[in-house]
Amino acid sequence: MLLELTNVETWYGPIPALRGVSLSVSAGEIVTVLGANGAGKSTLLRTIAGLVDPRVGEIRFEGRAIHGLEPDAVVRAGISLVPEGRQVFPLLSVAQNLEMGAFSRRDKDGIAEDRARVFAMFPRLEERQRQASGLLSGGEQQMLALGRALMTRPKLLMLDEPSLGLSPRLVAEIFAAIRQINETIGMTILVVEQNARVALANAHHGHILELGRVVLSGSTAALSDNPDVREAYLGIREGGIRGQRRWRRRKTWR
Ligand SMILES: Nc1ncnc2c1ncn2[C@@H]1O[C@H](COP(=O)(O)OP(=O)(O)OP(=O)(O)O)[C@@H](O)[C@H]1O
Ligand SMILES: [Mg+2]
């Protein structure tokens, strides 16, 4: 396992946001975590990234305990987070934002190769290289945030709701890029999403988070076939008595 969480609890003061989360991510996979607003998706990524400390539990990366490390030490270990809401440096140009991603690297050829890869994936960024990033559209800023994270060449790339606020066409473009990165250079990707349809279509494995707990895990094929997932996350209702199905879901998922 590249990443392994065991019984992780994260609290904000008296409020539990993660209540004993155990999950793992294999090297080379795209893994998605699905959940509604407030389920704890961002907290999960922020806990892995060292931005908040878990109160209980273990986080191991390549076998090494990383819980309690400072965020910069987690980055050096090979984990990169694209937070919710993009967060590019608005006054810096597109090219400068990409350089920021590579600032700790010394391998010039590798950096040039990665920059070329980002521009091949997102030609619009290449066209706007000298433009201040704050002037990019929301979708372009999401591409840039993803590109900047790629420039750090992480072993694990974590994305917090990359589809948020984007048109269906841009969502498809972003997820095509995510797959391409995974397939061409084998980068492991952990992506949290509310958009279950697109996440299940593109990831290998998934975990469903409800109120800080993982209530269901499996291959995305199995999750997509699960009647509870279909009803609650994909909005597909088939057969049975509706009320009964909803009631059964509550009984089995807690
Ligand atoms: N800094 C904070 N202080 C106190 N409570 C917080 C803080 N951040 C998040 N929470 C709470 O923790 C819970 C999980 O929040 P989190 O942001 O992880 O959810 P999420 O699944 O990312 O939701 P969304 O889909 O809306 O982004 C929520 O109940 C939220 O109100
Ligand atoms: Mg969130």
Side-chain angles (χ1 to χ4, degrees):
M1 282 301 158
L2 183 65
L3 176 76
E4 199 148 25
L5 278 73
T6 313
N7 191 32
V8 169
E9 285 184 22
T10 300
W11 296 65
Y12 295 109
I15 301 164
L18 297 181
R19 311 176 186 219
V21 168
S22 298
L23 60 82
S24 52
V25 176
S26 304
E29 289 208 321
I30 303 175
V31 173
T32 188
V33 173
L34 302 175
N37 288 121
K41 303 181 299 297
S42 297
T43 301
L44 174 70
L45 297 190
R46 291 168 50 78
T47 303
I48 297 166
L51 297 166
V52 280
D53 283 333
R55 187 182 285 185
V56 177
E58 272 200 352
I59 305 175
R60 293 189 168 268
F61 186 65
E62 297 186 302
R64 179 165 85 102
I66 58 161
H67 49 276
L69 291 186
E70 292 299 316
D72 62 317
V74 177
V75 171
R76 281 199 304 277
I79 299 179
S80 180
L81 168 65
V82 179
E84 218 170 342
R86 292 122 218 185
Q87 313 204 355
V88 298
F89 299 105
L91 299 178
L92 297 186
S93 70
V94 167
Q96 286 168 329
N97 263 280
L98 292 177
E99 272 165 41
M100 295 291 291
F103 85 102
S104 65
R105 292 173 64 179
R106 294 287 167 269
D107 57 324
K108 279 211 166 112
D109 294 349
I111 295 172
E113 192 186 307
D114 285 349
R115 185 186 298 109
R117 193 192 327 274
V118 169
F119 285 155
M121 262 185 320
F122 303 123
R124 255 174 295 176
L125 293 184
E126 185 164 27
E127 289 159 19
R128 291 162 176 72
Q129 267 187 80
R130 320 249 154 262
Q131 188 172 312
S133 303
L135 301 176
L136 297 176
S137 73
E140 289 160 355
Q141 289 189 28
Q142 184 61 270
M143 291 171 194
L144 180 55
L146 183 53
R148 192 179 61 195
L150 288 178
M151 295 299 292
T152 68
R153 271 254 192 171
K155 293 173 187 158
L156 174 66
L157 174 63
M158 303 197 296
L159 306 171
D160 194 344
E161 293 203 52
S163 78
L164 197 71
L166 302 187
S167 70
R169 191 176 51 78
L170 275 179
V171 171
E173 206 173 310
I174 292 280
F175 270 86
I178 290 169
R179 273 179 86 131
Q180 195 190 330
I181 294 156
N182 172 259
E183 282 164 15
T184 54
I185 56 176
M187 191 178 283
T188 310
I189 297 169
L190 177 59
V191 54
V192 310
E193 263 299 340
Q194 280 195 61
N195 187 333
R197 189 172 302 274
V198 72
L200 288 174
N202 287 286
H204 301 107
H205 281 95
H207 304 275
I208 308 240
L209 199 60
E210 285 190 356
L211 298 173
R213 288 194 176 90
V214 174
V215 294
L216 203 57
S217 300
S219 71
T220 47
L223 290 174
S224 304
D225 280 344
N226 181 299
D228 297 324
V229 173
R230 290 170 75 79
E231 179 175 337
Y233 290 90
L234 297 172
I236 304 165
R237 192 175 273 171
E238 63 242 317
I241 300 162
R242 285 166 190 181
Q244 217 171 44
R245 191 177 289 285
R246 178 166 294 138
W247 176 80
R248 199 175 70 218
R249 173 167 70 82
R250 294 216 180 286
K251 280 217 72 163
T252 51
W253 283 20
R254 290 287 173 270

